[in-house]
Amino acid sequence: MTDRYASFVRSAAGRTLVKRLGLPDPPRLRRHTPGDPLLPGPALLGAATGGRLAEPVGALLTTAGVEVRDPAAAGVEVRDPAAGPADGGRVGALVYDATGVTDSTALRQLYDFFHPYARSVLPGGRVVVLGTPPEECATPREATAQRAIEGLTRSIGKEFGRGVTAQLVYVTPDGDDSTRTGLESTLRFLLSGRSAYVSGQVLRVGTGRVSAPADWDRPLDGQVTLVTGAARGIGAALARLLARDGARVVALDVPAAGDALAEVANEIGGTAVQLDLTAPDAPDRLARHLADRHGRVDVVVHNAGITRDKTLGRMDPDRWDQVIDVNLSSQERINDVLLERELIGDGGRIVAVSSIAGIAGNRGQTNYATSKAGVIGLVRSTAPVLGGRGISLNAVAPGFIETRLTARIPLVVREAGRRMNSMAQGGLPVDVAETIGWLAWPASGALRGNIVRVCGQSLLGA
């Protein structure tokens, strides 16, 4: 689906009209292409007094091929933000270790770092702040200050513009080597073009079963991955992306989508499974297929979902039951069987697909919003349990994504959905796929219980 408004505003006439009328100005997003450098320029790395992460993060970034600069280093200009930076002073990312912020007065150090460089980030650049989870802080004052940082990063995501994203990553202070690997995988995702439509998020890196890849360009090499709802849209984009990153993909969808499913599976050298997940024997049949063909599954992505929209007062019981069954209950049943038969074991990853409708609600979608909020509940309640078995469970919550389903939305509503986010545009299926792919990496096993919105920092549920 083409965003004609975005195409128009990039023309000479469109640029003039946008400036005169103050219309939304969708930036060109920096998306990932294999072989791309992590950033379009150097990273400026700062730290609050007593921060514990600046040194290891600097080493991680250097290993990843990023030029790391100190704020006091030559070549990094401190300029009046109102004047704008000179080209030589621009950076690809601002990274700040805020773990040393232990009370509200120390928050001034964040201002002192970001204020001079607010206009120095290149288009498509990144802002990442590292903190301590408030629930793991030593004192209430420290927890208060760390929670305050969320307001900073979410606001930066809405202020900097030009495709710049901003995130807060809470890193456990009681970490181990798995925490370091999990932080590396998180930084490699957030700083790269993979995270083009992810902004304003708060992520948590703890401990878990992790394995750093031999090649970060193929972080899923040899992994057996299951993708439900793989025939079209986000599912098809995900199947292609997982194969690109080295995975062996089992693509599943309903028999009615068999031709499209076979086309996707053949294109990526995967296998196709035609199965209605609501059938009573579906979990058993799926488990037997995985056991017979692969002996295991390393990654399970619950992407399959449907909508049956009506306002609650006009909704018949079948519409309610179908949506809850496909979008939520089938995930529970499949997880139960795969875990019971130990087909997904130590080091496994499960990624569920929720929606911002499950966070903010949506008129005419009480059934859908209920199911997607239930997915969030599933992740929150089950992730700690699975963590004890070495399995990570996370979810993504897409916002307005350009698919055949959103193409059916009435024009005015569709345009509102596209513009009501910090990027002033809809996302692409690949944006959701990249985020799921990152959570599926063996190196991301230290991320558990995260709900990552892929919505361009939507104003809904923000």
Side-chain angles (χ1 to χ4, degrees):
M1 181 169 55
T2 301
D3 185 345
R4 294 181 179 178
Y5 174 83
S7 300
F8 169 71
V9 300
R10 288 167 186 155
S11 67
R15 299 296 303 173
T16 301
L17 194 62
V18 164
K19 290 180 179 179
R20 286 182 178 177
L21 301 182
L23 297 173
D25 187 7
R28 292 184 183 274
L29 301 186
R30 176 173 63 93
R31 291 188 167 93
H32 175 72
T33 299
D36 282 351
L38 208 59
L39 285 169
L44 188 63
L45 176 60
T49 303
R52 58 186 167 83
L53 294 174
E55 184 176 345
V57 165
L60 290 176
L61 295 180
T62 299
T63 300
V66 175
E67 178 190 349
V68 180
R69 294 184 181 178
D70 183 273
V76 180
E77 300 185 14
V78 179
R79 297 172 58 84
D80 178 355
D87 289 343
R90 293 200 170 191
V91 295
L94 299 175
V95 181
Y96 191 78
D97 173 13
T99 57
V101 175
T102 56
D103 62 41
S104 59
T105 62
L107 291 167
R108 174 59 188 267
Q109 296 182 73
L110 289 155
Y111 169 86
D112 289 341
F113 175 76
F114 285 106
H115 172 72
Y117 304 108
R119 299 284 296 276
S120 296
V121 184
L122 288 163
R126 303 289 186 255
V127 174
V128 177
V129 179
L130 307 170
T132 300
E135 63 274 14
E136 297 183 46
C137 287
T139 68
R141 284 182 180 271
E142 181 183 3
T144 298
Q146 288 294 320
R147 178 58 179 82
I149 299 170
E150 292 191 26
L152 172 81
T153 54
R154 293 187 195 278
S155 297
I156 286 175
K158 295 177 179 179
E159 282 188 4
F160 279 24
R162 298 171 296 118
V164 175
T165 65
Q167 328 287 350
L168 172 58
V169 182
Y170 285 132
V171 183
T172 180
D174 299 321
D176 53 23
D177 288 344
S178 70
T179 306
R180 184 183 186 280
T181 301
L183 179 57
E184 181 173 6
S185 77
T186 301
L187 289 173
R188 283 180 177 269
F189 170 71
L190 294 179
L191 296 177
S192 74
R194 297 176 188 267
S195 61
Y197 204 61
V198 177
S199 189
Q201 298 305 287
V202 179
L203 308 171
R204 281 172 165 76
V205 179
T207 59
R209 302 291 194 275
V210 301
S211 176
D215 180 358
W216 282 99
D217 286 332
R218 290 180 61 83
L220 288 165
D221 204 21
Q223 297 285 292
V224 178
T225 65
L226 168 68
V227 179
T228 68
R232 299 182 180 88
I234 292 171
L238 175 60
R240 295 184 181 103
L241 183 138
L242 296 176
R244 180 202 73 187
D245 285 354
R248 289 182 284 163
V249 180
V250 179
L252 182 150
D253 217 312
V254 293
D259 289 345
L261 181 67
E263 183 177 344
V264 171
N266 290 337
E267 176 187 339
I268 63 175
T271 58
V273 177
Q274 297 184 28
L275 185 64
D276 180 352
L277 294 177
T278 64
D281 63 344
D284 176 68
R285 289 173 58 191
L286 175 58
R288 284 191 283 110
H289 174 87
L290 292 171
D292 293 344
R293 294 291 295 269
H294 303 284
R296 72 182 198 281
V297 61
D298 300 300
V299 180
V300 175
V301 182
H302 293 294
N303 169 71
I306 62 171
T307 58
R308 297 290 185 269
D309 296 351
K310 283 285 184 181
T311 56
L312 186 59
R314 298 177 180 274
M315 186 180 297
D316 59 82
D318 285 345
R319 288 176 184 266
W320 178 275
D321 292 342
Q322 289 172 20
V323 170
I324 299 297
D325 198 16
V326 173
N327 296 3
L328 179 58
S329 300
S330 68
Q331 295 189 21
E332 297 175 307
R333 293 192 296 266
I334 289 171
N335 287 347
D336 287 346
V337 171
L338 296 182
L339 291 167
E340 178 186 343
R341 300 187 188 183
E342 298 184 345
L343 286 170
I344 180 167
D346 194 2
R349 281 86 59 214
I350 302 174
V351 185
V353 177
S354 180
S355 167
I356 61 168
I359 298 171
N362 203 11
R363 187 182 187 280
Q365 289 193 318
T366 52
N367 49 0
Y368 183 76
T370 300
S371 70
K372 294 302 186 179
V375 169
I376 294 173
L378 171 66
V379 170
R380 298 286 197 216
S381 62
T382 311
V385 177
L386 294 184
R389 300 176 59 170
I391 300 169
S392 69
L393 171 60
N394 298 280
V396 299
F400 188 97
I401 305 298
E402 304 279 1
T403 67
R404 62 187 180 87
L405 295 179
T406 52
R408 299 173 184 170
I409 297 174
L411 176 62
V412 174
V413 178
R414 186 168 69 240
E415 283 302 302
R418 281 172 169 159
R419 310 306 162 206
M420 291 178 63
N421 61 73
S422 296
M423 304 299 175
Q425 61 193 283
L428 301 179
V430 70
D431 297 321
V432 184
E434 292 280 17
T435 308
I436 294 172
W438 157 59
L439 292 171
W441 294 353
S444 298
L447 290 101
R448 292 183 281 114
N450 287 278
I451 311 298
V452 186
R453 287 188 294 128
V454 188
C455 61
Q457 198 179 14
S458 172
L459 300 183
L460 298 175

